[in-house]
Amino acid sequence: MSKADIECISSGDLVWRCVSCQATRRKSMRLDTQSTKEGGITLEDLLKVVNEIRDIQKRSESDVNRAYENLNDKIDDNTKMLADQNTKLEGYLKVMESLTLENVQLKKKVAALENRVEEMEQYSRSNCVEIHGIPEEKTENVVSVVKEVGKALDMPITDSMIDAGHGLGRRSGPNNQPAAIIVKFVRRLDKEELMKKRTVKKNFSTRHINMTTDSQIYINESLSPARRRLFVMAREAKKTKNFKYLWVRNGKILMRRDDGQPVIHVTCQDDFSKL
């Protein structure tokens, strides 16, 4: 090789082999091809594997697409089901709202009816008084006891003035007080007159009706069970809230904090929170 050939090969970064080396390389390549054929791997085998991989990939893609479509269908079904449930839920909420409103209205009606019944029961007692403190041996003849009480209060009472009278059950308590009696007058005016006479008579006791004992006698308006419970709460409120006056007039529970203060009419338990 000339110097110019060497420079050309070097500058072009070319590979040059001599004749013997070139022959050796060609022989090596033939041996590699032959060994590949002897090992059983051919180009056809490689193409076959590639095609199989391609088919598997296609089937996988098809399966994924089908699964995706099924998933979309299920999502659509769930969305429709959820919409139906929301529609039903809205209907249930409307029914509940209607029932709640109806329940409130019914409670108001029941409260109004209970109030009317209680008013009617109290009105039926408008001619009645309860006398407490009379020994039980004296209450066997209620009319005679009422006459003696009226005589002691300077109010003559005749048989025609009394509609009915009987003893009440003994109340449970530690004081073991005698059972009271209830008297119903024919006219309310007679009942109110007896109550007025009682307020005038101070320290009215059993000695005023010709008895040897000296026990306090109380004459009160007859209250219905509901109004009696309300009166008990009113007495407790009188103590806790420092009210000076508490009394009953014509079945109405009245309170006054002090002289000159307005009169408060107690009609229900909620009224105590406003005192």
Side-chain angles (χ1 to χ4, degrees), residues 5-269:
D5 292 334
I6 294 172
E7 292 178 352
C8 179
I9 291 172
S10 300
S11 62
D13 198 15
L14 302 176
V15 177
W16 179 85
R17 296 181 180 86
C18 63
V19 176
S20 59
C21 291
Q22 187 71 22
T24 302
R25 176 174 174 76
R26 289 176 180 175
K27 182 178 179 181
S28 176
M29 292 178 64
R30 286 195 300 272
L31 289 174
D32 292 339
T33 305
Q34 184 177 1
S35 64
T36 301
K37 291 181 178 180
E38 289 176 357
I41 300 176
T42 62
L43 183 59
E44 292 180 357
D45 294 334
L46 293 175
L47 291 175
K48 184 177 180 181
V49 172
V50 170
N51 289 331
E52 289 178 356
I53 294 174
R54 185 180 300 169
D55 293 338
I56 292 173
Q57 184 178 4
K58 288 182 179 180
R59 288 195 297 270
S60 299
E61 291 178 355
S62 178
D63 293 340
V64 170
N65 290 333
R66 284 195 299 270
Y68 183 75
E69 291 176 356
N70 292 332
L71 182 60
N72 284 336
D73 293 339
K74 290 182 179 180
I75 292 175
D76 292 339
D77 293 340
N78 290 336
T79 302
K80 183 178 178 181
M81 185 182 300
L82 183 61
D84 294 338
Q85 290 179 352
N86 287 336
T87 301
K88 292 181 180 180
L89 181 60
E90 291 178 357
Y92 295 151
L93 290 176
K94 291 181 179 179
V95 172
M96 289 179 60
E97 184 179 358
S98 176
L99 291 176
T100 301
L101 180 60
E102 183 179 357
N103 187 32
V104 172
Q105 293 175 348
L106 288 176
K107 284 184 177 181
K108 291 182 179 179
K109 289 182 179 180
V110 170
L113 289 174
E114 289 179 346
N115 187 56
R116 288 182 59 185
V117 170
E118 200 277 330
E119 289 288 344
M120 292 174 64
E121 184 176 0
Q122 183 60 47
Y123 183 78
S124 67
R125 298 169 178 258
S126 58
N127 293 2
C128 298
V129 296
E130 295 180 7
I131 303 176
H132 300 263
I134 305 294
E136 292 188 16
E137 62 269 15
K138 294 284 291 182
T139 60
E140 295 179 358
N141 191 335
V142 175
V143 176
S144 297
V145 172
V146 175
K147 288 181 178 180
E148 291 181 9
V149 170
K151 182 179 179 181
L153 295 177
D154 298 327
M155 177 182 171
I157 297 177
T158 62
D159 293 343
S160 61
M161 296 170 61
I162 299 175
D163 183 27
H166 60 85
L168 297 174
R170 181 188 294 272
R171 296 183 183 179
S172 59
N175 297 329
N176 195 24
Q177 295 180 351
I181 61 175
I182 183 170
V183 181
K184 183 177 182 181
F185 287 91
V186 175
R187 300 192 314 161
R188 187 183 302 180
L189 293 176
D190 295 331
K191 168 250 186 177
E192 293 177 352
E193 182 65 20
L194 180 64
M195 295 299 298
K196 187 185 299 183
K197 293 287 186 179
R198 172 63 187 90
T199 57
V200 175
K201 191 79 170 180
K202 303 298 182 182
N203 299 322
F204 186 49
S205 66
T206 52
R207 63 184 177 85
H208 292 99
I209 58 174
N210 301 321
M211 294 187 64
T212 58
T213 59
D214 190 11
S215 302
Q216 194 78 17
I217 296 177
Y218 301 95
I219 303 177
N220 303 320
E221 292 192 23
S222 180
L223 299 178
S224 64
R227 199 154 299 190
R228 189 186 303 277
R229 291 191 296 268
L230 190 64
F231 183 71
V232 172
M233 290 186 285
R235 285 192 300 185
E236 184 65 24
K238 177 178 179 289
K239 298 178 182 179
T240 58
K241 297 182 180 294
N242 299 321
F243 272 70
K244 189 174 181 180
Y245 300 103
L246 170 64
W247 71 99
V248 177
R249 180 181 297 167
N250 296 327
K252 297 180 180 179
I253 300 174
L254 306 173
M255 300 181 69
R256 176 181 285 165
R257 186 178 296 275
D258 205 346
D259 296 329
Q261 296 292 321
V263 176
I264 299 174
H265 180 200
V266 178
T267 59
C268 62
Q269 186 175 353

